[in-house]
Amino acid sequence: MARFLMLSNGMKIKLLFLFFAISFYGIGQQVALKKGGIIDQVSVNDSINETFALYLPTTFEVKKEWPVVFVFDMQGRGKQALSMFRKAADKEGFVLAASNNIQDTLTLTKNVLIASRMISKVYRMLPIRRTGVYTGGYGAGARMASLIPTFIKEIQGVISCGSSVANSEVLTSKRPFHFVGIVGVEDYNYRTMKSGKKLLYNLKFPNELLVFDGGEEWPTSEHIAKAMQSLKLAAMAKKYVPLDENYIAGSYNENIGTVNKLLNNDKPLLAYESLNQTIELYRHFRNTDSLKSSLKTLKRTKEFKVNSRSQNAAFFKEDLIKDDYVYYLAEDIQTYNYNNLGWWQFQMEELEKYSNKPNTFEKQMAARLKGFINALIADNIDEIKSMAPVDEEAVTFLWMLKTITDAEKVKPYLKVISRSSKVEDYGTALFYLEELFKTGYDNKAELYKLEDTALLRITPEFNDLVSKYLKY
């Protein structure tokens, strides 16, 4: 339950301002500053129609300065973005804020200006520690979060879930920031983020990569808390905040417990990553020679060597398959090669076979490759649509391909039906309509509102399919 911040009569005007600062200026409604609950619309100022979501941990008090994570969501879903960081922020003691106006349809310049106004507002409202200002996000939001330090020098670090640094070319060792990546082993970005560590180390950027056993998904609150833990320990190491021996000991034991749990679950490679991470985090606070010795011992075990060889073999195979995907997709787009859709269907069937094999690393490879091809198709759609004139047939071909590579999603089918109907290719539209129905689709209201399908919907064939599958 949210707890409201109580202000005594003796507090300074600055603290009184804290209580009254949060307002819905657009409708004149005052909202009390509360702890432990997300306030979803805090106005930036009177003259600009911009708002952000705000979260204060339950331990928040105005007598001390607090670190803050500005979370980015490229659809402006501030409250939703904060909800994913909320539990970790409460555990580790971080303020959270997220703009409701950041959009992937806006230019980078406009998004940076929106972010800058939000950050300035939070500075004015709350007792923020200026050496504890961070950004974070997931996917596209994480890429935006990693760009912000280039433009706003006060940013000390980034928590990036499922994405490497957005533009490594703009990084400079003169303005380093602390990068903490979090990624699942089945995420197609996993290997990119692993290789990105070398680049960051070469540029002398402090960085960690927290790896979990999962795919393209939000990490758990425990992993986000570990990322915040890394930033807090780094702040202590730099003497931005006083050393907290109890916190250091407690978090250290948590990390050692994670390593032991991974070993007990027969995951030596993840245990190795976690142990190596623990050594890096705590070398400033205690002697880690015993941990280094354990790391060497783990690397010499039969289980580690077998798993390492198996993973490297999967990596090698994955690289070859990715090269094929890139080559053949470019060729198929250029020639509108509908005849090759069967080859792509075969590729998806092959990945499904890998998914069902007992080899863990081949299963992970299959998941990464599925994510890779769908991301590659999406990137090509965006690129083609950004050019003038737009190659409409190429876009339609890619949506057709998406019905194969991402067959469980409804959107690709609807796109093909709509685009085919627009050019009066009703045979194609009806074929994909039936394929969509076979997936179990039954949203008649959505179907009847589909763009460019008015003439399709009056054909006997369309109504026969609706009658057959929807039983209306």
Side-chain angles (χ1 to χ4, degrees):
M1 180 180 293
R3 290 181 287 170
F4 288 87
L5 191 64
M6 301 302 293
L7 299 176
S8 67
N9 293 330
M11 289 187 179
K12 296 179 181 179
I13 293 175
K14 179 181 177 182
L15 302 186
L16 291 174
F17 172 71
L18 178 63
F19 184 82
F20 295 107
I22 299 181
S23 307
F24 292 100
Y25 290 109
I27 57 176
Q29 178 185 357
Q30 292 288 339
V31 177
L33 186 62
K34 59 182 179 180
K35 301 187 290 184
I38 297 174
I39 306 169
D40 60 357
Q41 287 197 335
V42 181
S43 180
V44 171
N45 62 47
D46 291 327
S47 60
I48 299 177
N49 187 25
E50 292 174 4
T51 64
F52 61 92
L54 179 70
Y55 178 77
L56 304 181
T58 53
T59 55
F60 182 85
E61 57 183 48
V62 295
K63 295 179 181 179
K64 58 176 283 190
E65 292 185 331
W66 294 80
V68 60
V69 177
F70 293 99
V71 186
F72 288 87
D73 177 87
M74 300 312 292
Q75 278 74 51
R77 300 169 296 192
K79 184 176 181 179
Q80 181 175 326
L82 293 196
S83 67
M84 306 308 295
F85 278 73
R86 175 179 177 173
K87 189 174 180 180
D90 217 42
K91 178 178 181 293
E92 297 297 328
F94 278 72
V95 170
L96 301 175
S99 173
N100 294 315
N101 301 97
I102 296 288
Q103 294 289 335
D104 55 9
T105 55
L106 298 177
T107 64
L108 174 61
T109 299
K110 289 183 179 179
N111 278 326
V112 170
L113 288 173
I114 290 169
S116 180
R117 287 190 286 267
M118 170 185 63
I119 291 171
S120 295
K121 173 70 172 186
V122 173
Y123 280 172
R124 295 194 304 271
M125 287 176 57
L126 302 172
I128 299 300
R129 175 167 57 84
R130 296 304 178 98
T131 56
V133 181
Y134 311 101
T135 58
Y138 171 78
R143 289 191 288 275
M144 182 67 190
S146 71
L147 283 172
I148 293 295
T150 302
F151 303 97
I152 303 176
K153 64 181 181 179
E154 290 84 2
I155 306 302
Q156 300 289 317
V158 176
I159 299 175
S160 180
C161 306
S163 178
S164 55
V165 176
N167 189 350
S168 59
E169 294 178 0
V170 302
L171 299 180
T172 170
S173 57
K174 295 179 180 178
R175 286 182 61 178
F177 56 86
H178 194 143
F179 184 87
V180 184
I182 312 176
V183 68
V185 291
E186 294 181 0
D187 190 324
Y188 75 94
N189 284 304
Y190 167 62
R191 296 185 62 200
T192 304
M193 293 184 74
K194 277 181 69 70
S195 61
K197 281 178 62 66
K198 297 178 182 178
L199 169 66
L200 292 171
Y201 275 125
N202 290 337
L203 289 172
K204 295 181 170 49
F205 276 53
N207 73 96
E208 291 94 41
L209 182 62
L210 308 179
V211 180
F212 63 91
D213 199 5
E216 293 176 56
E217 59 196 83
W218 273 94
T220 64
S221 59
E222 286 78 11
H223 282 92
I224 297 175
K226 280 185 178 294
M228 291 178 173
Q229 191 179 92
S230 296
L231 298 175
K232 286 181 68 172
L233 291 169
M236 290 182 194
K238 293 178 180 178
K239 302 189 185 325
Y240 291 156
V241 295
L243 287 181
D244 185 336
E245 294 295 345
N246 289 333
Y247 179 83
I248 292 171
S251 60
Y252 176 83
N253 290 333
E254 281 183 15
N255 280 275
I256 295 301
T258 298
V259 174
N260 289 329
K261 184 177 180 180
L262 290 168
L263 287 172
N264 291 335
N265 289 331
D266 297 321
K267 296 178 180 178
L269 299 188
L270 288 179
Y272 182 88
E273 295 267 6
S274 184
L275 183 55
N276 198 32
Q277 191 70 45
T278 301
I279 293 170
E280 181 64 24
L281 285 175
Y282 294 92
R283 63 188 176 86
H284 300 288
F285 309 109
R286 59 183 60 198
N287 189 313
T288 57
D289 288 348
S290 62
L291 295 185
K292 291 177 182 177
S293 177
S294 297
L295 194 70
K296 291 178 181 178
T297 301
L298 173 58
K299 198 172 183 178
R300 289 195 295 265
T301 63
K302 179 181 178 181
E303 292 79 4
F304 181 90
K305 291 178 180 179
V306 169
N307 278 267
S308 184
R309 283 196 297 268
S310 185
Q311 184 182 64
N312 288 333
F315 285 166
F316 180 75
K317 189 180 299 183
E318 182 178 347
D319 287 337
L320 294 177
I321 296 173
K322 283 169 69 174
D323 287 344
D324 280 348
Y325 286 174
V326 172
Y327 175 81
Y328 286 113
L329 183 61
E331 189 175 70
D332 289 351
I333 293 170
Q334 187 174 6
T335 60
Y336 315 126
N337 193 357
Y338 298 101
N339 290 329
N340 210 34
L341 290 175
W343 182 84
W344 288 104
Q345 179 66 51
F346 174 74
Q347 297 304 310
M348 295 303 105
E349 291 169 357
E350 289 297 294
L351 291 186
E352 195 60 34
K353 290 178 183 177
Y354 282 122
S355 297
N356 294 321
K357 286 186 175 182
N359 186 306
T360 298
F361 301 105
E362 289 188 335
K363 288 182 179 180
Q364 294 171 356
M365 176 196 74
R368 289 194 296 268
L369 285 169
K370 288 178 182 177
F372 173 78
I373 186 57
N374 281 305
L376 186 62
I377 293 171
D379 287 346
N380 274 276
I381 291 174
D382 290 342
E383 182 179 352
I384 294 170
K385 289 174 71 175
S386 70
M387 296 186 293
V390 176
D391 188 340
E392 298 290 353
E393 186 169 0
V395 175
T396 300
F397 171 81
L398 287 168
W399 282 117
M400 288 180 178
L401 181 54
K402 266 270 196 178
T403 67
I404 295 171
T405 62
D406 208 6
E408 295 180 358
K409 297 287 179 62
V410 168
K411 183 178 179 179
Y413 293 94
L414 294 177
K415 285 288 187 180
V416 175
I417 294 166
S418 174
R419 298 180 70 86
S420 299
S421 298
K422 184 176 182 179
V423 297
E424 299 183 6
D425 183 2
Y426 298 129
T428 298
L430 290 166
F431 173 80
Y432 279 92
L433 176 62
E434 183 158 22
E435 292 301 303
L436 175 59
F437 283 145
K438 288 178 181 178
T439 67
Y441 179 79
D442 61 357
N443 192 338
K444 186 175 181 180
E446 180 182 47
L447 182 61
Y448 274 77
K449 291 179 182 177
L450 189 60
E451 189 177 16
D452 296 317
T453 62
L455 294 178
L456 174 69
R457 295 196 303 269
I458 64 174
T459 63
E461 294 84 356
F462 175 90
N463 288 285
D464 287 345
L465 286 175
V466 170
S467 178
K468 176 182 177 181
Y469 288 96
L470 300 185
K471 309 298 182 185
Y472 288 113

